[in-house]
Amino acid sequence: MRMNATPETPIPLADLRRSQPRFQGIESGHRACLGCGEALAARLVTEAAGPDVMIANATGCLEIFTTPWPESAWRLPWMHSLFENTGAIAAGMEAALKAQGKSTKVLAFGGDGGTFDIGFQSLSGMLERGHNVLYVCYDNEAYMNTGIQRSSSTPHAAMTTTSPAGKERMGKRHLKKDILTIIAAHHIPYAASASVAYPSDIRKKVRRAMEINGPTFLLIHSPCPLGWGHDGALSIEVARLAVQTGLFPLIELERGELIGAMPIRQPRPVTDYLGLQQRFSHLFKDDPRAREELEHLQALAERNIEYYGLKGLHDDPRDSEGADTVRRGGQRWA
Amino acid sequence: MIEVRIHGRGGQGNVVAAYLLATAAIDEGHFGQAFPAFGAERRGAPVVAFVRIAGQVLRRHNQVLHPDFLIIQDHALLHVPGVLDGLRPNGGILVNTTLDVSALEAQLGRAAIALPATQLAKAHLGRPVPNTALLSAFLALTQMLPMHALAGALGQKFKGELLERNLRLIEAAAQQVPAGLWKEVAHATGA
Amino acid sequence: MRQALEGSQAIARAVALCRPQVIAAYPITPQTHIVENIAKLVADGRLACEFVSVESEFSAASVVLGAAVAGSRTYTASASQGILLMGEVLYNIAGSRVPVVMTCANRAVSAPLSIWNDQQDSMAVRDAGWIQLYCADNQEAVDTTIQAYRIAERTELPVMVCVDGFTLTHTLEPIDLPTQEQVDAFLPPYRFSRTLDPRRPISMGTLVSPDFYPEARHAHHQALLKAADAILAADADWHAQTGRSHGGLLQVEGDADARIAILSLGSVCGTLADAREMHPELGPVKLIRLRAFRPFPAESLREACAGLTDLVVLERALSPGGGGIVGAEVKAALFDMPAPPRVHNFAVGLGGRDIPLETYPRLLQAVATQAPQPFALFDVDPGKLPVEDR
């Protein structure tokens, strides 16, 4: 990893980024599934964050597939404690580093289960006390590591093993928890959503958060091919469609106020997104309840577009998202 | 008692295979037991499952260390150290592979049975899940259970079109191996 | 009807047969299949209940407590870290004397992180005041789950049904599922004497000063000791219903005139039983299986140990810095016997290490050749230890 460094002559911290133009925080050879969105997101985040960080990681896929004893894929100081306390572990690390006057930034990593649900309390506490921690939530919309169970981040009507479809049920009954609104209510300096389909956007948002001395939060939409029911090769396309339908808006908040949103030039119907995933396959059966759920999801998407002002005022003939290009038979962009 | 160890990769239906085999045995009035050696959930990871079939109740819950038969659901697993460990001297190996028998046996340095289970599955099911084809071949080789027991077990798991296709698949797979080749070994250990 | 069922699936069906009205579900390996199977029954309209997908185990235990005091039969399941996280609530449920039934899919506790089977989780909460019953196989898990509701609702004590994770939960074996009629005949509708009700309001969970606290604890302790009768009665009545019994408080098998016995809990007992049958040449050995750990069946244990020269206590947990947990309690129970056996206390299979059939002859070898150890891990590989610890 470090060029020309030895234990006796380590490279000074200030030179670390210069000596590694593209810093690699996670080494290859980890055990993630093919097409794992979370693995990609974690790589992008650690690349952008650089080497002077310390990581607190919740229980979940990321922790499991990167650290099968006696091996680890991390090239950064890293700890996994439990499922519910990542915010608090990070807060403790931050307090210690602050007391020692060190520049190392603390990152907290958790999945949606560990962030929206079981780890919510300790996250809220960390935010409220103003710790200088960047909390990154890798949102694959269910408890994936334990075999695809619903979390409060699971979208409405999605199938999981604890929200299966059946005679009496059409998947998850409850809405996807609006975590960013709750985070916004803590009035922290910066909170944002991002998607693995937009890697430059992730890097930009991570760098923004790294510069801030205070609590920051990043929600990264990370497809799980196994849990969502699509081929690993389609992960990026699926993630992009989530954004282009309006179901997963990419927004930025400062102190609770909306300061930025990625526009959608040509909003796609939600069925384009849902139809690629097995977890929504029951919505494409000939069933009045299925039609109702599709309408509901379309309404949720349109509500996001309106609320966050995602649609530009005019049609964009250049169509920088590339959707129109694809429709006209051209090459997919990026 | 017959002990079988099934090696596969996550997503190939390894555990389902073990459960189906034990279910077929139980439905025929034998004692059957099946369980995985577990790891974290992950597609593509090597997984191992165990099956015991016996004429009397077994109360043990330890892993199978000395299998009478090995079913290898993925040819590439033959490179994983320990895959063949503990196989009894006369034990049989059934491998999902497109290699022909002599090439397979040359590679292993011992007798084995080759079955292109993935190809058969793709042809009949449209999906490359080799487990039911392998089970059918296994039963044809050992003749330890009638094929209708496997069909019955499949019927508890699958319905409609998928069941029909699986039933045709097991019929086809059974034809592709020498029937009863392992019958004596199976009877010697005694189901 | 005898059918092939995975342990988790069988337990889920048993729970459904007991007609719970509120089920709290939170995923944790290796109990997840239980709640998944229940979710499918609910989604298909085959089980009418409120299925609450909670946000943590702490809430899972809290939801069942709230539901139980509001007058509903409840269920939840957990393991390992989940048991520890809900620990505070477990003490709260038991101390409040509320009848709740849960499955503990026994799994090791972190750190180090492990998803595999041992009994450290349920042993860690042995002082919470719950009845704890350990199952040797999945049939017993089914039967004991059903019995647990009867025991809990009669004694007003919560019951934890301990089932070895993976080893039992993920093992498919022949299971005899009782019919709905059999279960309905065995389990009356849920009745909790102190149900919260606007028509006769009471207050629960109040602050208790030193003037009253010791008496409350005394009553709890006595209730647990007396629960032994309810445990025996439930097993006997279930036997009358179905022809199946699981030994009541503890189960003794093997050679009645043996001077050596091996005591253990859970699925390892099945492995020891098969191994014993394979080794008649090693002489007569008695196998003692503790089914109830709380209340601890001291008197039944002393009876089972009468005339023994050596007792091996083989457990699936430990108290670091202390030694064996079951071993310590067994020794305490046997202390006042006129001629107590020598106790050899071992822990085995921690973190899910496989316990082979050879364990049986090796244990007997240890008894024959070594002085009794206060406590040791039986299956440690010295090659994996630092040199100074070998």
Side-chain angles (χ1 to χ4, degrees):
Chain A
M1 168 177 94
R2 294 185 298 172
M3 298 184 295
N4 304 317
T6 64
E8 292 74 36
T9 57
I11 293 183
L13 226 44
D15 294 340
L16 268 173
R17 189 179 278 291
R18 272 200 291 279
S19 68
Q20 302 163 62
R22 189 155 185 154
F23 174 73
Q24 198 169 348
I26 297 183
E27 192 53 82
S28 60
H30 58 71
R31 316 285 175 87
C33 300
L34 302 170
C36 171
E38 186 163 344
L40 173 59
R43 175 167 74 77
L44 292 168
V45 167
T46 50
E47 250 173 42
D52 191 17
V53 298
M54 183 180 293
I55 299 175
N57 204 142
T59 308
C61 276
L62 180 60
E63 160 266 316
I64 289 283
F65 69 66
T66 52
T67 58
W69 174 272
E71 297 169 351
S72 172
W74 295 95
R75 292 197 170 278
L76 296 163
W78 179 97
M79 176 169 189
H80 160 248
S81 167
L82 300 169
F83 204 2
E84 66 275 18
N85 62 354
T86 308
I89 297 281
M93 289 174 172
E94 185 261 11
L97 291 166
K98 189 163 157 185
Q100 296 166 50
K102 295 212 168 122
S103 66
T104 306
K105 176 94 167 185
V106 177
L107 308 179
F109 289 171
D112 51 285
T115 304
F116 287 52
D117 291 350
I118 193 170
F120 190 67
Q121 177 191 312
S122 62
L123 166 61
S124 180
M126 184 272 280
L127 299 176
E128 180 265 330
R129 293 187 303 268
H131 291 277
N132 181 15
V133 172
L134 164 55
Y135 190 109
V136 181
C137 174
Y138 300 95
D139 187 8
N140 55 25
E141 300 185 334
Y143 290 89
M144 292 308 187
N145 190 240
T146 42
I148 320 164
Q149 292 84 34
R150 70 82 106 189
S151 76
S152 61
S153 169
T154 304
H156 178 75
M159 277 200 287
T160 65
T161 60
T162 47
S163 64
K167 288 206 242 344
E168 305 275 320
R169 293 275 188 274
M170 290 296 284
K172 185 185 183 227
R173 289 177 287 165
H174 313 291
L175 297 176
K176 183 182 173 84
K177 186 189 270 191
D178 186 359
I179 194 77
L180 278 172
T181 301
I182 302 170
I183 300 296
H186 290 71
H187 299 292
I188 57 173
Y190 183 69
S193 52
S195 166
V196 293
Y198 298 90
S200 304
D201 184 62
I202 290 180
R203 288 198 196 98
K204 177 190 88 179
K205 288 169 173 168
V206 168
R207 293 218 164 106
R208 173 105 186 79
M210 290 292 288
E211 280 162 17
I212 292 170
N213 187 340
T216 52
F217 182 88
L218 195 52
L219 180 73
I220 306 185
H221 205 212
S222 314
C224 168
L226 190 66
W228 294 15
H230 60 82
D231 199 273
L234 292 180
S235 293
I236 302 296
E237 182 175 343
V238 167
R240 186 179 305 124
L241 283 166
V243 175
Q244 289 176 340
T245 54
L247 280 174
F248 195 92
L250 300 188
I251 59 173
E252 294 176 283
L253 303 153
E254 283 181 2
R255 302 267 175 220
E257 299 295 323
L258 185 70
I259 54 117
M262 181 182 287
I264 305 172
R265 313 289 184 185
Q266 309 276 354
R268 305 281 291 270
V270 295
T271 43
D272 282 2
Y273 168 64
L274 305 173
L276 289 180
Q277 305 167 61
Q278 279 293 307
R279 64 176 173 156
F280 293 110
S281 60
H282 57 299
L283 300 182
F284 293 88
K285 299 212 157 67
D286 188 18
D287 183 335
R289 296 177 305 160
R291 285 191 282 281
E292 199 179 306
E293 295 298 359
L294 285 178
E295 281 171 20
H296 191 169
L297 284 161
Q298 187 63 51
L300 285 170
E302 283 165 18
R303 185 261 180 197
N304 282 341
I305 291 172
E306 193 185 310
Y307 185 83
Y308 293 109
L310 300 178
K311 185 146 163 54
L313 290 172
H314 313 285
D315 281 344
D316 178 6
R318 281 203 206 91
D319 179 30
S320 43
E321 297 309 305
D324 200 55
T325 308
V326 172
R327 225 174 0 252
R328 284 184 280 107
Q331 289 268 342
R332 213 183 295 283
W333 168 78
Chain B
M1 176 190 63
I2 292 182
E3 292 183 300
V4 185
R5 199 167 67 210
I6 308 179
H7 292 268
R9 291 193 187 276
Q12 289 177 328
N14 175 286
V15 181
V16 170
Y19 283 5
L20 283 170
L21 182 55
T23 298
I26 289 168
D27 289 347
E28 285 293 300
H30 304 289
F31 175 83
Q33 182 191 67
F35 55 101
F38 230 86
E41 312 273 350
R42 204 169 71 250
R43 241 183 215 164
V47 285
V48 182
F50 309 100
V51 182
R52 291 188 172 101
I53 295 170
Q56 74 282 3
V57 170
L58 297 175
R59 297 166 63 189
R60 70 200 66 174
H61 288 101
N62 55 313
Q63 291 179 1
V64 171
L65 297 178
H66 305 290
D68 300 297
F69 300 106
L70 290 176
I71 300 177
I72 314 287
Q73 292 196 293
D74 184 328
H75 186 141
L77 289 170
L78 290 173
H79 299 289
V80 173
V83 162
L84 303 181
D85 279 3
L87 180 64
R88 292 200 187 274
N90 290 340
I93 307 179
L94 171 62
V95 182
N96 173 23
T97 179
T98 48
L99 285 183
D100 66 54
V101 162
S102 38
L104 175 65
E105 290 181 340
Q107 185 191 327
L108 282 175
R110 52 161 296 153
I113 303 289
L115 180 78
T118 304
Q119 279 59 34
L120 283 168
K122 280 202 264 206
H124 283 84
L125 303 178
R127 285 164 60 226
V129 186
N131 58 353
T132 46
L134 286 164
L135 282 180
S136 171
F138 177 73
L139 287 187
L141 285 160
T142 56
Q143 294 189 339
M144 52 189 283
L145 295 170
M147 201 55 76
H148 69 74
L150 178 57
L154 285 168
Q156 291 169 43
K157 191 136 184 74
F158 303 114
K159 305 231 174 309
E161 175 82 29
L162 189 52
L163 174 61
E164 289 308 313
R165 288 171 176 243
N166 265 298
L167 293 175
R168 285 197 288 273
L169 171 59
I170 61 174
E171 221 175 310
Q175 312 290 343
Q176 303 230 359
V177 293
L181 183 69
W182 293 349
K183 185 169 164 177
E184 268 174 49
V185 181
H187 276 255
T189 52
Chain C
M1 201 200 90
R2 184 177 183 268
Q3 53 189 294
L5 285 174
E6 188 208 32
S8 308
Q9 212 183 4
I11 293 169
R13 304 262 189 102
V15 169
L17 288 168
C18 296
R19 305 187 189 272
Q21 285 188 316
V22 177
I23 296 181
Y26 189 80
I28 184 167
T29 307
Q31 76 51 347
T32 324
H33 288 190
I34 301 176
V35 298
E36 285 176 5
N37 275 293
I38 292 177
K40 196 76 182 87
L41 292 172
V42 173
D44 287 339
R46 290 168 60 191
L47 172 58
C49 76
E50 287 296 313
F51 186 83
V52 185
S53 284
V54 289
E55 72 285 3
S56 81
E57 290 93 347
F58 185 85
S59 290
S62 305
V63 162
V64 299
L65 172 55
V69 303
S72 284
R73 184 172 285 156
T74 58
Y75 176 75
T76 193
S78 194
S80 178
Q81 312 307 124
I83 296 290
L84 297 183
L85 182 62
M86 61 165 66
E88 190 186 6
V89 189
L90 295 180
Y91 279 74
N92 199 252
I93 291 171
S96 304
R97 302 289 306 277
V98 176
V100 157
V101 170
M102 72 171 290
T103 305
C104 174
N106 288 116
R107 168 186 147 182
V109 300
S110 166
L113 180 62
S114 165
I115 56 171
W116 292 276
N117 165 245
D118 68 32
Q119 291 165 0
Q120 290 182 85
D121 49 6
S122 53
M123 284 296 166
V125 294
R126 64 194 183 278
D127 299 332
W130 284 54
I131 292 171
Q132 290 185 318
L133 302 173
Y134 285 78
C135 302
D137 56 43
N138 287 323
Q139 183 66 62
E140 184 173 1
V142 163
D143 293 337
T144 301
T145 299
I146 298 166
Q147 292 182 26
Y149 281 102
R150 216 183 44 195
I151 297 166
E153 289 161 24
R154 287 231 173 133
T155 60
E156 293 194 342
L157 287 164
V159 180
M160 183 179 289
V161 180
C162 301
V163 182
D164 285 320
F166 286 145
T167 314
L168 291 181
T169 58
H170 286 60
T171 293
L172 179 130
E173 279 179 344
I175 302 284
D176 235 305
L177 272 186
T179 63
Q180 187 67 71
E181 290 69 40
Q182 281 176 307
V183 178
D184 287 343
F186 184 78
L187 277 187
Y190 180 79
R191 253 197 62 244
F192 176 48
S193 63
R194 283 164 288 123
T195 298
L196 293 179
D197 186 341
R199 292 170 298 183
R200 3 166 242 120
I202 58 169
S203 304
M204 292 188 80
T206 61
L207 177 66
V208 173
S209 72
D211 290 339
F212 296 101
Y213 191 96
E215 284 71 27
R217 272 286 175 259
H218 171 88
H220 188 172
H221 176 54
Q222 292 303 315
L224 262 169
L225 293 175
K226 285 193 211 132
D229 293 334
I231 296 167
L232 289 166
D235 201 35
D237 287 353
W238 188 248
H239 181 252
Q241 270 270 3
T242 62
R244 291 192 301 274
S245 151
H246 298 286
L249 298 170
L250 58 79
Q251 200 164 38
V252 182
E253 62 179 281
D255 308 295
D257 54 352
R259 316 278 267 152
I260 299 175
I262 305 176
L263 178 151
S264 195
L265 296 86
S267 61
V268 67
C269 296
T271 305
L272 292 171
D274 275 4
R276 187 189 143 271
E277 290 201 354
M278 288 165 62
H279 291 283
E281 77 286 1
L282 293 179
V285 172
K286 211 186 264 193
L287 295 177
I288 303 173
R289 182 174 74 84
L290 279 195
R291 180 169 182 253
F293 186 73
R294 282 291 181 269
F296 189 83
E299 201 181 309
S300 307
L301 180 63
R302 282 191 287 271
E303 274 171 37
C305 291
L308 292 179
T309 58
D310 291 273
L311 174 67
V312 175
V313 176
L314 190 66
E315 56 186 290
R316 308 296 316 286
L318 82 170
S319 181
I325 296 170
V326 180
E329 299 213 5
V330 165
K331 286 186 213 175
L334 302 182
F335 186 71
D336 288 325
M337 281 174 81
R342 287 188 297 253
V343 175
H344 311 253
N345 187 200
F346 298 109
V348 75
L350 297 183
R353 182 164 293 180
D354 189 44
I355 307 169
L357 292 161
E358 289 65 43
T359 309
Y360 176 82
R362 286 181 51 223
L363 282 170
L364 295 179
Q365 168 92 352
V367 167
T369 58
Q370 295 169 20
Q373 298 221 41
F375 174 75
L377 266 66
F378 196 65
D379 52 0
V380 156
D381 176 355
K384 291 184 189 152
L385 294 172
V387 173
E388 56 272 18
D389 287 344
R390 285 184 202 167

